[in-house]
Amino acid sequence: MKYGYTFEYLNEIDFHKKERSVRKYNMLAYKKLVFQYYPSLRNSEFLGKVVSANEQEDSVSYELELPTDELFQKVHGVIRLHYTVYLSRRIILLTNITPDQILDEGHRAELSTYKGVMISKSNPKKDMFKVDLLNMLQK
């Protein structure tokens, strides 16, 4: 019988906050994460690119890009799941979801949008400038 991997968290509360922000602001990424990527990881299909490997701990760190709107990527960056697989212990340590700032901010308060892109409350003018600039470049 093949045993799957179990999930553990570096900081479970912080990770779930970011996960809920992804669910709220990018439903496609959340659905892929929960219904496709998590089951694959549990079944030993490690997705994403290898970031580092540690032979002493028998671990490999991965970075998995989640599907993200092109304009959101250009303004805030790609949404990535960071995780480490401990092969001998059959544990997957879910460490982080990035970009940190916008996901943390999205959990704390309702974010507004500008032309379909989330705008942070800490730097709204900067984000709006990026969106306007990208729209001008597309024309």
Side-chain angles (χ1 to χ4, degrees):
M1 184 174 161
K2 185 177 177 183
Y3 295 104
Y5 282 73
T6 58
F7 288 151
E8 290 188 7
Y9 301 91
L10 187 63
N11 183 345
E12 187 171 2
I13 294 169
D14 186 50
F15 186 85
H16 285 305
K17 285 179 183 178
K18 291 176 185 171
E19 199 175 50
R20 283 190 295 271
S21 277
V22 170
R23 181 180 67 201
K24 186 174 186 177
Y25 295 110
N26 193 335
M27 185 57 77
L28 175 63
Y30 181 76
K31 285 181 179 180
K32 286 270 195 186
L33 182 66
V34 171
F35 298 114
Q36 185 177 351
Y37 298 151
Y38 284 166
S40 294
L41 294 176
R42 281 200 170 107
N43 292 326
S44 308
E45 297 172 32
F46 305 121
L47 307 169
K49 65 178 184 176
V50 175
V51 177
S52 66
N54 187 337
E55 292 180 13
Q56 292 175 338
E57 293 181 359
D58 195 24
S59 67
V60 181
S61 295
Y62 291 88
E63 197 173 82
L64 174 63
E65 288 189 12
L66 302 180
T68 312
D69 179 57
E70 184 179 337
L71 196 54
F72 179 89
Q73 283 182 4
K74 290 179 180 176
V75 174
H76 299 292
V78 177
I79 297 177
R80 288 189 175 98
L81 171 68
H82 302 270
Y83 65 97
T84 303
V85 178
Y86 292 93
L87 300 167
S88 59
R89 294 186 275 167
R90 303 195 63 78
I91 293 174
I92 297 173
L93 181 67
L94 299 172
T95 54
N96 199 7
I97 299 176
T98 56
D100 291 329
Q101 182 184 5
I102 195 73
L103 293 176
D104 282 338
E105 205 171 315
H107 176 74
R108 285 193 306 265
E110 187 75 27
L111 295 179
S112 59
T113 60
Y114 178 70
K115 296 184 181 180
V117 179
M118 294 184 326
I119 302 299
S120 68
K121 291 192 183 275
S122 60
N123 294 324
K125 290 184 181 183
K126 178 182 171 188
D127 291 347
M128 286 189 281
F129 174 75
K130 286 181 183 179
V131 170
D132 287 338
L133 181 65
L134 291 168
N135 283 334
M136 282 192 291
L137 291 173
Q138 287 179 347
K139 291 181 182 178

